[in-house]
Amino acid sequence: MMPLAPSEAIEHGDDARRDGSMLVLGIETSCDETAAAIVARSSDGHGRILSNVVRSQWEKHRAFGGVVPEIAARAHVECLDELIAEAIAAAGTTLDDIDAIAATAGPGLIGGLIVGLITGKMLALAHAKPFLAVNHLEAHALTVGLTDGLLPPYLLLLVSGGHTQLIAVHAVGQYRRLGSTIDDALGEAFDKTAKLLGLQMPGGPSVEEAAQWGDSKRFVLPRPMLGRAEPHFSFAGLKTAVRHAALAIAPLTDRDIADLCASFQTAAAEAVVDRTRQAMKMLNSDEAFGPGRPTRHLVVAGGVAANTALRAALTDLASAYGYTFHAPPISLCGDNAAMIAWAGAERFARGITDNLDAPVRPRWPLDREAAPALGAGAKGAKA
Ligand code: KG4
Ligand code: ZN
């Protein structure tokens, strides 16, 4: 069990209750992390984390080299009740004091989603609480509201294991997708690179660690989509280029692995920066985002947002283009339930709730109007 605790943000439930804040229980089970959290939202929109517990399932999946959906679903069932009880106790509150219950309804692995969604609905029914079926991507997108108090509009780069998108966040509930990947997600490219090089899963942190002492100039790797007008992404070619480079010098030494990781990470970050720059150019003609605004914000979110090299490259890009840069603390980049509770709280504060027949949605794009990226394969069309 890893209690994720950005300690400065954690406060006691009684204090939150006394200032009239709304308390929301969040439940997250969309992939390989089981999580529960209590978040308080004051009437002026200020958010605080009262508790935030996450249990990673990686030990159960490691031998298979990736997340096995059936194992994931079973593991969620085994520990979710215990985690919810722990989150409630750690917040110093009771279920009766909770104002609403929020659970991830999608996108994600269907078995795990069913476990979390049904648990959330059951608690809402038994305790007569309002229920919110939360979009996991929206939860990543709104995390900076909880951590930095940042309100839309902002340009969002969402980079996780299953998604890579640039989104104009106009308001809570109003998302316009500017670009997405036509093949692999960025986190997936990190994970596949790690697997190829024999590094531990999840791959992102392993690749980042090895890259720290590697030479990023040793291997010449492609920067996919560089300069293309639309801010779409592609990482399949970069991943294949790493494979070819590795095969050409196999067997690999630790030095080779570090140099491959550093070269891959630099190429990926440069490609992401180029695509984000393109999105900024697109937004120049948008009143809500254009250069006429006193402040413009770039936000990065999702598991890959924990990558220090990527954060540094995006910080430079933002300052060059007159944007302020925001990223959640590293502990809140990966999947957690505080972000689910917060997204639920933001919707609840706007008078939104969901019925108890809200469906599980393994595919659930944030921008339902967005057409598939030109040239997207089956995977890209989902992203
Ligand atoms: O958002 P997330 O926790 O789960 C999904 O919703 O997909 O993202 C997980 C992804 C994985 O692909 C993982 O390897 C990647 O985020 N990741 C990283 C780092 N930490 C996690 N990628 C690069 N650098 C990191 N430090
Ligand atoms: Zn996620």
Side-chain angles (χ1 to χ4, degrees):
M1 166 93 48
M2 181 178 52
L4 278 186
S7 51
E8 73 283 3
I10 292 200
E11 291 182 18
H12 199 272
D14 288 347
D15 301 335
R17 173 54 62 215
R18 268 198 295 276
D19 76 4
S21 288
M22 160 203 301
L23 299 189
V24 179
L25 163 67
I27 298 171
E28 158 61 31
T29 56
S30 68
C31 190
D32 57 335
E33 255 99 31
T34 318
I38 312 281
V39 159
R41 184 189 186 280
S42 58
S43 51
D44 64 359
H46 183 72
R48 281 160 298 156
I49 298 172
L50 305 189
S51 66
N52 187 20
V53 288
V54 181
R55 184 176 292 178
S56 170
Q57 303 176 352
W58 257 104
E59 290 312 320
K60 292 188 163 71
H61 299 288
R62 189 159 275 141
F64 303 94
V67 178
V68 183
E70 289 304 319
I71 294 178
R74 214 169 306 138
H76 290 306
V77 174
E78 279 163 15
C79 69
L80 183 57
D81 290 355
E82 187 188 322
L83 256 68
I84 292 172
E86 193 173 322
I88 291 170
T93 186
T94 65
L95 256 176
D96 284 339
D97 279 337
I98 302 290
D99 295 293
I101 295 173
T104 307
L109 300 173
I110 189 162
L113 290 171
I114 290 172
V115 174
L117 196 67
I118 289 189
T119 304
K121 287 177 179 177
M122 183 269 297
L123 287 174
L125 185 65
H127 295 267
K129 303 289 179 188
F131 177 70
L132 295 120
V134 169
N135 182 313
H136 180 96
L137 303 178
E138 180 169 44
H140 276 304
L142 299 180
T143 300
V144 284
L146 171 63
T147 59
D148 296 24
L150 183 70
L151 290 173
Y154 49 82
L155 171 60
L156 171 73
L157 170 67
L158 180 54
V159 276
S160 70
H163 296 86
T164 302
Q165 305 184 347
L166 280 157
I167 294 170
V169 178
H170 288 273
V172 172
Q174 252 185 63
Y175 308 98
R176 183 160 57 95
R177 201 192 71 190
L178 307 172
S180 69
T181 181
I182 62 166
D183 41 54
D184 292 350
L186 182 56
E188 190 180 359
F190 269 92
D191 292 338
K192 287 179 175 169
T193 297
K195 202 169 170 182
L196 166 80
L197 300 176
L199 301 176
Q200 272 212 340
M201 301 298 278
S206 305
V207 169
E208 176 166 22
E209 199 187 328
Q212 270 171 17
W213 55 284
D215 174 5
S216 64
K217 296 198 175 69
R218 176 163 162 209
F219 297 96
V220 181
L221 299 173
R223 271 66 173 153
M225 312 289 261
L226 209 66
R228 296 264 189 108
E230 288 203 307
H232 295 312
F233 302 82
S234 166
F235 295 105
L238 173 57
K239 175 193 69 188
T240 307
V242 174
R243 177 182 299 281
H244 288 315
L247 286 174
I249 56 163
L252 302 176
T253 63
D254 286 350
R255 160 60 54 197
D256 295 332
I257 291 173
D259 292 347
L260 280 164
C261 286
S263 302
F264 162 79
Q265 186 173 265
T266 299
E270 283 184 19
V272 168
V273 163
D274 176 71
R275 308 292 61 220
T276 309
R277 188 187 299 118
Q278 211 56 37
M280 288 172 167
K281 284 185 190 162
M282 261 176 95
L283 286 177
N284 274 343
S285 55
D286 185 312
E287 218 178 287
F289 291 86
R293 284 190 71 87
T295 45
R296 296 188 287 170
H297 307 286
L298 171 65
V299 172
V300 66
V304 190
N307 188 282
T308 310
L310 183 63
R311 289 163 89 106
L314 291 168
T315 304
D316 290 348
L317 172 73
S319 68
Y321 277 76
Y323 277 69
T324 62
F325 177 67
H326 303 262
I330 291 192
S331 62
L332 292 176
C333 287
D335 290 347
N336 65 86
M339 70 178 192
I340 305 300
W342 179 248
E346 285 289 78
R347 285 159 53 82
F348 190 48
R350 287 162 177 77
I352 302 167
T353 55
D354 291 291
N355 292 332
L356 291 182
D357 62 356
V360 162
R361 304 176 72 172
R363 287 191 200 175
W364 188 0
L366 264 188
D367 177 357
R368 280 180 234 165
E369 312 285 300
L374 200 63
K379 280 164 108 185
K382 276 188 246 161

